């Protein structure tokens, strides 16, 4: 098996259906399987998906994993990664659409012998309005670039530019970090570094995985010649104009804390560490309060 595609559903029948449909509709010369992992949906979306895709399920093209608890995005993906038979694993958000030839283009690149050191590959991720989802090509967060980003300070330094705005959106180059909405990862790399860290509930696990991939000596590549559409926030209520689930806000800042504590605490002095932890706590409080006044 060449490729295992993993899609996690949580109360998003229409979006998940369209995501999987876009995979099935895309001609490819690679063999693949699709894992549909339901994260204990509270509606009837799993039943509807099983009925809609019953032919593909009976043929074994789609394999369903019904999680008994919603323990987060990372853990749900891990449930499928472990039994996956593909030499490559594609994490694909349930609010995305695969564009023409994206799977073949990405697989053609990463399977080339000269790219045997590429552990993870991401494509161009466009939002519904046609703009770039800047999370698809990033530097690792650190105290410096996080400060610039927090206070909206522009920088020409690649080292301090978190979103790598200076790099061509259609280009191909090695970067630090991809977005979990589309991550094509070599199975050999996963065998080397381990599964997603399920301490992260639904934010930060992609950054942590990329960090561990690069630490182990593999390359992380942004491949802007292929593209998906990301209806960002549709499965997490992440819209600025709407009141959000406070748990999602908490998990966002909790992920910052986990990542910093895991990878940076020993790199910086105690005073900077304390300042970072206080900053994360203040941001959490401010955003929870702001959320109260949203309609």
């Amino acid at each position: 098996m060449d490729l295992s595609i993993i899609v996690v559903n949580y109360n998003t029948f229409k979006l998940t259906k369209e995501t999987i449909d876009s995979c099935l509709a895309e001609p490819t010369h690679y063999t693949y399987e699709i894992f549909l992992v339901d994260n204990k949906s509270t509606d009837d979306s799993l039943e509807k998906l099983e009925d809609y895709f019953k032919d593909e399920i009976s043929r074994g093209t789609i394999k369903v994993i019904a999680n008994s608890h919603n323990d987060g995005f990372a853990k749900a993906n891990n449930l499928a990664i472990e039994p996956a038979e593909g030499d490559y694993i594609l994490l694909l958000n349930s609010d995305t659409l695969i564009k023409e030839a994206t799977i073949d283009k990405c697989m053609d690149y990463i399977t080339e012998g000269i790219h045997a050191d590429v552990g993870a590959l991401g494509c161009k991720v466009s939002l519904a309005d046609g703009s770039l989802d800047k999370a698809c090509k990033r530097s690792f967060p650190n105290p410096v670039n996080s400060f610039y980003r927090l206070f909206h300070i522009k920088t020409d330094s690649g080292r301090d530019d978190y979103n790598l705005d200076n790099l061509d959106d259609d280009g191909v180059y090695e970067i630090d970090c991809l977005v979990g909405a589309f991550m094509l990862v070599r199975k050999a790399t996963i065998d080397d570094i381990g599964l997603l860290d399920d301490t992260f509930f639904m934010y930060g696990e992609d950054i942590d995985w990329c960090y561990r991939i690069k630490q182990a000596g593999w390359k992380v590549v942004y491949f802007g010649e292929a593209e998906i559409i990301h209806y960002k926030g549709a499965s997490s209520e992440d819209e600025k104009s709407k009141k959000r689930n406070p748990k999602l806000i908490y998990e966002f800042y909790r992920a910052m804390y986990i990542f910093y504590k895991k990878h940076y605490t020993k790199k910086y002095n105690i005073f900077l560490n304390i300042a970072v932890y206080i900053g994360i706590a203040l941001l959490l409080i401010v955003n929870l309060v702001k959320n109260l006044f949203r309609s």
Side-chain angles (χ1 to χ4, degrees), residues 247-276:
K247 177 175 172 54
L248 300 183
I249 298 174
Y250 167 75
E251 290 296 345
F252 181 81
Y253 290 101
R254 175 176 170 269
M256 289 185 185
Y257 167 77
I258 295 170
F259 182 84
Y260 187 91
K261 186 174 186 293
K262 182 176 180 179
H263 296 296
Y264 289 155
T265 298
K266 294 180 180 179
K267 290 186 177 183
Y268 299 106
N269 63 60
I270 188 172
F271 301 106
L272 181 57
N273 290 339
I274 291 172
V276 169

Side-chain angles (χ1 to χ4, degrees), residues 19-224:
T19 296
I20 295 176
D21 272 340
S22 73
C23 295
L24 294 171
E26 187 59 37
T28 176
H29 56 273
Y30 293 98
T31 58
Y32 69 93
E33 60 185 356
I34 298 174
F35 281 89
L36 167 59
V37 184
D38 184 76
N39 229 359
K40 193 61 176 177
S41 292
T42 56
D43 60 3
D44 59 351
S45 58
L46 175 59
E47 291 76 13
K48 290 166 70 176
L49 287 165
E50 287 179 317
D51 181 62
Y52 182 81
F53 290 114
K54 60 186 176 184
D55 291 339
E56 288 79 7
I57 292 171
S58 65
R59 287 195 292 266
T61 305
I62 296 177
K63 300 173 181 179
V64 178
I65 298 176
N67 201 351
S68 58
H69 299 90
N70 183 358
D71 294 318
F73 181 76
K75 192 163 187 177
N77 276 288
N78 286 341
L79 288 174
I81 291 172
E82 290 182 307
E85 298 179 8
D87 294 327
Y88 298 85
I89 306 293
L90 175 60
L91 304 191
L92 186 65
N93 266 26
S94 63
D95 55 355
T96 61
L97 291 178
I98 296 287
K99 297 198 74 174
E100 184 178 357
T102 287
I103 290 176
D104 272 4
K105 287 177 181 178
C106 291
M107 285 290 289
D108 287 349
Y109 181 91
I110 201 170
T111 57
E112 272 192 275
I114 59 172
H115 299 140
D117 57 351
V118 176
L121 180 142
C123 69
K124 180 179 180 180
V125 180
S126 297
L127 300 174
D129 63 4
S131 64
L132 184 76
D133 181 354
K134 293 187 177 184
C136 67
K137 54 179 177 74
R138 296 172 283 179
S139 299
F140 291 126
N142 59 55
V144 176
N145 63 27
S146 297
F147 177 84
Y148 279 107
R149 187 176 182 224
L150 176 62
F151 292 100
H152 305 286
I153 301 172
K154 292 186 178 181
T155 174
D156 294 326
S157 168
R159 183 186 63 183
D160 299 331
D161 182 5
Y162 177 71
N163 286 321
L164 301 179
D165 292 322
N166 59 313
L167 298 179
D168 180 11
D169 296 345
D170 299 319
V172 178
Y173 30 74
E174 184 180 356
I175 59 170
D176 282 342
C177 189
L178 306 169
V179 65
F182 184 103
M183 282 186 72
L184 179 61
V185 185
R186 194 181 298 271
K187 188 67 179 293
T189 303
I190 300 173
D191 293 339
D192 183 18
I193 69 161
L195 300 170
L196 290 159
D197 183 349
D198 60 22
T199 308
F200 297 91
F201 185 79
M202 68 174 295
Y203 298 108
E205 72 288 324
D206 47 3
I207 303 175
D208 174 76
W209 221 20
C210 287
Y211 194 91
R212 288 157 50 204
I213 287 169
K214 295 201 71 171
Q215 275 191 320
W218 298 90
K219 290 181 179 178
V220 174
V221 169
Y222 171 79
F223 187 71

